[in-house]
């Protein structure tokens, strides 16, 4: 994708990387957590609340390193791109952020449910969904997330 800052990638229609099977930036054989905000969500609002992820991401980093990657995918509304980019720059967020300007992610992953609670999910090494829900928003999901991560990476 087109790099906006060291950690942001802007995807256009013709680019690879937006299928769940292809979402990893590098070719490491790792498990992943994908956090998707579609165009029904205020993307810049979601970015402004990303500080809530810092503690969880620090824990993931220290426990699993490169074995577990976290990816954030934003599909901004038309006209929201500039505000989204400003929000990302201001957030100093240092995890991969994919900006999907043409809803490629949703089109290539047609099985994604409409419910935003199901837009955070964990993928195994073969890119199969193994957990749905946010470990940030739900304590039961959080416990299950760490159990799966421990079992997968052990």
């Amino acid at each position: 994708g087109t790099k906006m800052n060291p950690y942001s990638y802007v995807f256009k229609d013709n680019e690879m990387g937006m299928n769940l099977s292809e979402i990893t930036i590098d070719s490491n054989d790792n498990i992943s957590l994908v956090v998707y905000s579609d165009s029904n969500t205020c993307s810049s609002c979601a970015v402004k609340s990303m500080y809530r992820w810092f503690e969880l991401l620090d824990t993931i980093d220290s426990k699993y390193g490169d074995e577990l990657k976290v990816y954030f995918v934003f599909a901004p509304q038309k006209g929201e791109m500039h505000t989204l980019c400003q929000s990302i720059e201001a957030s100093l967020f240092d995890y991969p952020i994919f900006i999907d300007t043409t809803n490629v992610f949703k089109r290539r992953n047609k099985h994604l449910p409409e419910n935003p609670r199901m837009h955070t999910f964990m993928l195994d090494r073969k890119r199969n969904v193994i957990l749905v829900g946010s470990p940030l928003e739900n304590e039961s999901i959080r416990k299950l997330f760490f159990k799966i991560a421990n079992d997968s990476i052990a």
Side-chain angles (χ1 to χ4, degrees):
T2 308
K3 277 188 164 274
M4 183 178 68
N5 71 31
Y7 302 103
S8 301
Y9 302 82
V10 179
F11 282 90
K12 303 277 192 289
D13 250 338
N14 59 347
E15 295 192 55
M16 299 289 282
M18 295 308 290
N19 281 347
L20 291 183
S21 61
E22 303 165 350
I23 196 166
T24 50
I25 297 168
D26 47 43
S27 59
N28 286 351
D29 187 25
N30 52 30
I31 58 175
S32 310
L33 180 68
V34 177
V35 182
Y36 172 61
S37 294
D38 68 11
S39 57
N40 295 322
T41 307
C42 164
S43 296
S44 56
C45 305
V47 170
K48 287 175 184 162
S49 68
M50 299 219 357
Y51 71 90
R52 296 174 55 230
W53 283 92
F54 287 174
E55 187 179 333
L56 180 63
L57 291 169
D58 284 347
T59 303
I60 291 169
D61 268 356
S62 62
K63 285 181 90 145
Y64 310 113
D66 283 344
E67 293 290 317
L68 198 164
K69 295 284 192 181
V70 182
Y71 300 97
F72 292 85
V73 179
F74 291 98
Q77 298 170 3
K78 289 210 182 313
E80 197 186 19
M81 186 68 177
H82 181 70
T83 309
L84 175 61
C85 293
Q86 285 181 324
S87 298
I88 291 170
E89 292 292 340
S91 75
L92 303 174
F93 196 72
D94 61 354
Y95 285 81
I97 296 174
F98 294 89
I99 301 170
D100 180 7
T101 57
T102 56
N103 286 312
V104 179
F105 188 79
K106 192 173 194 172
R107 282 199 314 275
R108 291 197 184 163
N109 300 288
K110 294 188 185 330
H111 57 281
L112 276 172
E114 289 297 315
N115 185 341
R117 288 189 198 162
M118 304 185 96
H119 289 178
T120 301
F121 43 87
M122 191 175 193
L123 303 173
D124 67 11
R125 295 175 196 281
K126 294 183 175 142
R127 301 294 164 250
N128 297 309
V129 175
I130 51 175
L131 179 67
V132 176
S134 173
L136 189 68
E137 307 291 340
N138 182 312
E139 187 59 32
S140 300
I141 297 286
R142 186 184 184 105
K143 287 177 182 168
L144 199 50
F145 170 82
F146 281 110
K147 181 187 182 327
I148 292 169
N150 289 335
D151 292 349
S152 299
I153 292 170

